[in-house]
Each structure stands twice: as C-alpha cells, then as structure tokens.
mmCIF file of all heavy atoms in Angstrom:
data_model
loop_
_atom_site.group_PDB
_atom_site.id
_atom_site.type_symbol
_atom_site.label_atom_id
_atom_site.label_comp_id
_atom_site.label_asym_id
_atom_site.label_seq_id
_atom_site.Cartn_x
_atom_site.Cartn_y
_atom_site.Cartn_z
ATOM 1 N N ASN A 1 5.167 12.971 13.096
ATOM 2 C CA ASN A 1 3.767 12.756 12.730
ATOM 3 C C ASN A 1 3.601 12.671 11.219
ATOM 4 O O ASN A 1 2.812 11.852 10.718
ATOM 5 C CB ASN A 1 2.896 13.892 13.283
ATOM 6 C CG ASN A 1 2.469 13.664 14.716
ATOM 7 O OD1 ASN A 1 1.479 12.997 14.990
ATOM 8 N ND2 ASN A 1 3.237 14.201 15.654
ATOM 9 N N LEU A 2 4.345 13.495 10.486
ATOM 10 C CA LEU A 2 4.304 13.437 9.020
ATOM 11 C C LEU A 2 4.805 12.085 8.530
ATOM 12 O O LEU A 2 4.215 11.489 7.609
ATOM 13 C CB LEU A 2 5.161 14.563 8.435
ATOM 14 C CG LEU A 2 5.255 14.613 6.905
ATOM 15 C CD1 LEU A 2 3.903 14.975 6.292
ATOM 16 C CD2 LEU A 2 6.313 15.619 6.456
ATOM 17 N N SER A 3 5.864 11.575 9.138
ATOM 18 C CA SER A 3 6.412 10.272 8.753
ATOM 19 C C SER A 3 5.414 9.156 9.025
ATOM 20 O O SER A 3 5.256 8.228 8.209
ATOM 21 C CB SER A 3 7.717 10.007 9.510
ATOM 22 O OG SER A 3 8.731 10.885 9.099
ATOM 23 N N LEU A 4 4.726 9.224 10.171
ATOM 24 C CA LEU A 4 3.712 8.219 10.499
ATOM 25 C C LEU A 4 2.572 8.247 9.491
ATOM 26 O O LEU A 4 2.124 7.192 9.007
ATOM 27 C CB LEU A 4 3.180 8.467 11.907
ATOM 28 C CG LEU A 4 2.031 7.553 12.375
ATOM 29 C CD1 LEU A 4 2.482 6.093 12.399
ATOM 30 C CD2 LEU A 4 1.524 7.977 13.747
ATOM 31 N N VAL A 5 2.103 9.444 9.151
ATOM 32 C CA VAL A 5 1.012 9.583 8.180
ATOM 33 C C VAL A 5 1.457 9.090 6.808
ATOM 34 O O VAL A 5 0.676 8.453 6.083
ATOM 35 C CB VAL A 5 0.527 11.047 8.114
ATOM 36 C CG1 VAL A 5 -0.431 11.257 6.943
ATOM 37 C CG2 VAL A 5 -0.169 11.433 9.418
ATOM 38 N N ASP A 6 2.712 9.346 6.424
ATOM 39 C CA ASP A 6 3.216 8.876 5.129
ATOM 40 C C ASP A 6 3.250 7.352 5.056
ATOM 41 O O ASP A 6 2.960 6.762 4.005
ATOM 42 C CB ASP A 6 4.616 9.445 4.871
ATOM 43 C CG ASP A 6 4.585 10.864 4.329
ATOM 44 O OD1 ASP A 6 3.514 11.291 3.865
ATOM 45 O OD2 ASP A 6 5.623 11.545 4.373
ATOM 46 N N ILE A 7 3.617 6.705 6.166
ATOM 47 C CA ILE A 7 3.595 5.235 6.204
ATOM 48 C C ILE A 7 2.167 4.727 6.009
ATOM 49 O O ILE A 7 1.917 3.816 5.205
ATOM 50 C CB ILE A 7 4.167 4.715 7.537
ATOM 51 C CG1 ILE A 7 5.673 4.975 7.621
ATOM 52 C CG2 ILE A 7 3.904 3.209 7.692
ATOM 53 C CD1 ILE A 7 6.292 4.629 8.968
ATOM 54 N N CYS A 8 1.232 5.320 6.737
ATOM 55 C CA CYS A 8 -0.178 4.917 6.635
ATOM 56 C C CYS A 8 -0.736 5.225 5.246
ATOM 57 O O CYS A 8 -1.496 4.432 4.683
ATOM 58 C CB CYS A 8 -1.001 5.639 7.702
ATOM 59 S SG CYS A 8 -0.557 5.232 9.402
ATOM 60 N N PHE A 9 -0.366 6.384 4.700
ATOM 61 C CA PHE A 9 -0.824 6.824 3.386
ATOM 62 C C PHE A 9 -0.438 5.813 2.305
ATOM 63 O O PHE A 9 -1.264 5.380 1.490
ATOM 64 C CB PHE A 9 -0.227 8.204 3.107
ATOM 65 C CG PHE A 9 -0.581 8.791 1.776
ATOM 66 C CD1 PHE A 9 -1.899 8.989 1.412
ATOM 67 C CD2 PHE A 9 0.408 9.186 0.887
ATOM 68 C CE1 PHE A 9 -2.235 9.548 0.183
ATOM 69 C CE2 PHE A 9 0.090 9.750 -0.336
ATOM 70 C CZ PHE A 9 -1.237 9.933 -0.691
ATOM 71 N N THR A 10 0.832 5.423 2.314
ATOM 72 C CA THR A 10 1.325 4.462 1.318
ATOM 73 C C THR A 10 0.745 3.076 1.553
ATOM 74 O O THR A 10 0.438 2.351 0.599
ATOM 75 C CB THR A 10 2.864 4.403 1.359
ATOM 76 O OG1 THR A 10 3.388 5.722 1.321
ATOM 77 C CG2 THR A 10 3.408 3.620 0.186
ATOM 78 N N SER A 11 0.577 2.699 2.831
ATOM 79 C CA SER A 11 0.059 1.369 3.160
ATOM 80 C C SER A 11 -1.417 1.213 2.799
ATOM 81 O O SER A 11 -1.922 0.088 2.753
ATOM 82 C CB SER A 11 0.246 1.097 4.663
ATOM 83 O OG SER A 11 1.613 1.105 5.008
ATOM 84 N N THR A 12 -2.092 2.315 2.540
ATOM 85 C CA THR A 12 -3.503 2.270 2.147
ATOM 86 C C THR A 12 -3.684 1.713 0.744
ATOM 87 O O THR A 12 -4.681 1.054 0.447
ATOM 88 C CB THR A 12 -4.113 3.684 2.229
ATOM 89 O OG1 THR A 12 -4.006 4.163 3.566
ATOM 90 C CG2 THR A 12 -5.568 3.687 1.818
ATOM 91 N N THR A 13 -2.713 1.956 -0.134
ATOM 92 C CA THR A 13 -2.882 1.608 -1.547
ATOM 93 C C THR A 13 -1.946 0.505 -2.054
ATOM 94 O O THR A 13 -2.392 -0.400 -2.765
ATOM 95 C CB THR A 13 -2.667 2.863 -2.422
ATOM 96 O OG1 THR A 13 -1.363 3.408 -2.140
ATOM 97 C CG2 THR A 13 -3.715 3.920 -2.109
ATOM 98 N N ILE A 14 -0.667 0.578 -1.702
ATOM 99 C CA ILE A 14 0.324 -0.290 -2.337
ATOM 100 C C ILE A 14 0.164 -1.778 -1.982
ATOM 101 O O ILE A 14 0.244 -2.629 -2.879
ATOM 102 C CB ILE A 14 1.752 0.185 -2.020
ATOM 103 C CG1 ILE A 14 1.939 1.637 -2.473
ATOM 104 C CG2 ILE A 14 2.779 -0.700 -2.720
ATOM 105 C CD1 ILE A 14 1.600 1.869 -3.926
ATOM 106 N N PRO A 15 -0.038 -2.156 -0.699
ATOM 107 C CA PRO A 15 -0.163 -3.594 -0.396
ATOM 108 C C PRO A 15 -1.260 -4.289 -1.191
ATOM 109 O O PRO A 15 -1.054 -5.415 -1.682
ATOM 110 C CB PRO A 15 -0.468 -3.609 1.107
ATOM 111 C CG PRO A 15 0.189 -2.369 1.625
ATOM 112 C CD PRO A 15 -0.008 -1.350 0.542
ATOM 113 N N LYS A 16 -2.415 -3.645 -1.356
ATOM 114 C CA LYS A 16 -3.510 -4.250 -2.126
ATOM 115 C C LYS A 16 -3.104 -4.417 -3.585
ATOM 116 O O LYS A 16 -3.410 -5.435 -4.218
ATOM 117 C CB LYS A 16 -4.766 -3.383 -2.009
ATOM 118 C CG LYS A 16 -5.951 -3.872 -2.851
ATOM 119 C CD LYS A 16 -6.358 -5.298 -2.494
ATOM 120 C CE LYS A 16 -7.534 -5.758 -3.342
ATOM 121 N NZ LYS A 16 -7.846 -7.193 -3.127
ATOM 122 N N MET A 17 -2.397 -3.420 -4.118
ATOM 123 C CA MET A 17 -1.924 -3.515 -5.493
ATOM 124 C C MET A 17 -0.960 -4.686 -5.663
ATOM 125 O O MET A 17 -1.051 -5.458 -6.636
ATOM 126 C CB MET A 17 -1.226 -2.200 -5.873
ATOM 127 C CG MET A 17 -0.576 -2.208 -7.238
ATOM 128 S SD MET A 17 0.456 -0.763 -7.473
ATOM 129 C CE MET A 17 1.039 -1.057 -9.148
ATOM 130 N N LEU A 18 -0.044 -4.861 -4.710
ATOM 131 C CA LEU A 18 0.925 -5.958 -4.776
ATOM 132 C C LEU A 18 0.236 -7.315 -4.670
ATOM 133 O O LEU A 18 0.611 -8.260 -5.376
ATOM 134 C CB LEU A 18 1.957 -5.798 -3.653
ATOM 135 C CG LEU A 18 2.849 -4.548 -3.720
ATOM 136 C CD1 LEU A 18 3.748 -4.479 -2.500
ATOM 137 C CD2 LEU A 18 3.686 -4.547 -4.995
ATOM 138 N N VAL A 19 -0.764 -7.410 -3.798
ATOM 139 C CA VAL A 19 -1.512 -8.658 -3.649
ATOM 140 C C VAL A 19 -2.237 -9.005 -4.943
ATOM 141 O O VAL A 19 -2.241 -10.165 -5.381
ATOM 142 C CB VAL A 19 -2.520 -8.548 -2.472
ATOM 143 C CG1 VAL A 19 -3.496 -9.731 -2.489
ATOM 144 C CG2 VAL A 19 -1.781 -8.496 -1.146
ATOM 145 N N ASN A 20 -2.847 -7.995 -5.576
ATOM 146 C CA ASN A 20 -3.573 -8.229 -6.830
ATOM 147 C C ASN A 20 -2.640 -8.712 -7.935
ATOM 148 O O ASN A 20 -2.988 -9.596 -8.725
ATOM 149 C CB ASN A 20 -4.282 -6.950 -7.273
ATOM 150 C CG ASN A 20 -5.581 -6.715 -6.529
ATOM 151 O OD1 ASN A 20 -5.910 -7.451 -5.599
ATOM 152 N ND2 ASN A 20 -6.318 -5.693 -6.912
ATOM 153 N N ILE A 21 -1.436 -8.140 -8.008
ATOM 154 C CA ILE A 21 -0.476 -8.574 -9.024
ATOM 155 C C ILE A 21 -0.023 -10.006 -8.751
ATOM 156 O O ILE A 21 0.057 -10.837 -9.664
ATOM 157 C CB ILE A 21 0.744 -7.621 -9.064
ATOM 158 C CG1 ILE A 21 0.338 -6.239 -9.562
ATOM 159 C CG2 ILE A 21 1.841 -8.195 -9.957
ATOM 160 C CD1 ILE A 21 1.448 -5.209 -9.511
ATOM 161 N N GLN A 22 0.251 -10.295 -7.479
ATOM 162 C CA GLN A 22 0.749 -11.620 -7.103
ATOM 163 C C GLN A 22 -0.297 -12.697 -7.329
ATOM 164 O O GLN A 22 0.029 -13.816 -7.753
ATOM 165 C CB GLN A 22 1.184 -11.598 -5.630
ATOM 166 C CG GLN A 22 1.964 -12.822 -5.194
ATOM 167 C CD GLN A 22 3.321 -12.941 -5.869
ATOM 168 O OE1 GLN A 22 3.843 -11.959 -6.395
ATOM 169 N NE2 GLN A 22 3.897 -14.130 -5.869
ATOM 170 N N THR A 23 -1.561 -12.389 -7.046
ATOM 171 C CA THR A 23 -2.645 -13.373 -7.190
ATOM 172 C C THR A 23 -3.286 -13.343 -8.579
ATOM 173 O O THR A 23 -4.204 -14.110 -8.849
ATOM 174 C CB THR A 23 -3.733 -13.127 -6.132
ATOM 175 O OG1 THR A 23 -4.260 -11.803 -6.284
ATOM 176 C CG2 THR A 23 -3.176 -13.304 -4.732
ATOM 177 N N LYS A 24 -2.795 -12.407 -9.430
ATOM 178 C CA LYS A 24 -3.349 -12.231 -10.787
ATOM 179 C C LYS A 24 -4.856 -11.961 -10.736
ATOM 180 O O LYS A 24 -5.636 -12.472 -11.545
ATOM 181 C CB LYS A 24 -3.044 -13.455 -11.658
ATOM 182 C CG LYS A 24 -1.566 -13.679 -11.906
ATOM 183 C CD LYS A 24 -1.330 -14.890 -12.791
ATOM 184 C CE LYS A 24 0.140 -15.043 -13.158
ATOM 185 N NZ LYS A 24 1.032 -15.166 -11.997
ATOM 186 N N SER A 25 -5.239 -11.163 -9.777
ATOM 187 C CA SER A 25 -6.644 -10.793 -9.607
ATOM 188 C C SER A 25 -6.767 -9.274 -9.563
ATOM 189 O O SER A 25 -5.904 -8.579 -9.013
ATOM 190 C CB SER A 25 -7.198 -11.392 -8.309
ATOM 191 O OG SER A 25 -8.481 -10.875 -8.028
#
C-alpha cells in the first residue's frame, strides 16, 4: 500500500512538470 501511494504521490506532480518543460509552458 505504501508503494502504491508513493507511485500516486509522485505522479501527482512530476508528469505535469515534465510536460511544462517539454512544451516550454
């Protein structure tokens, strides 16, 4: 359960950050 929450926790912030860097937005 901790591992599942850690995946969700990281997926809340990092993908949006990567998209913003890639799109320069």
Side-chain angles (χ1 to χ4, degrees):
N1 275 275
L2 178 67
S3 292
L4 176 62
V5 170
D6 278 344
I7 291 174
C8 297
F9 179 58
T10 311
S11 298
T12 300
T13 57
I14 303 305
K16 176 58 180 173
M17 175 190 181
L18 296 176
V19 169
N20 280 6
I21 293 175
Q22 191 66 19
T23 59
K24 296 181 174 58
S25 171

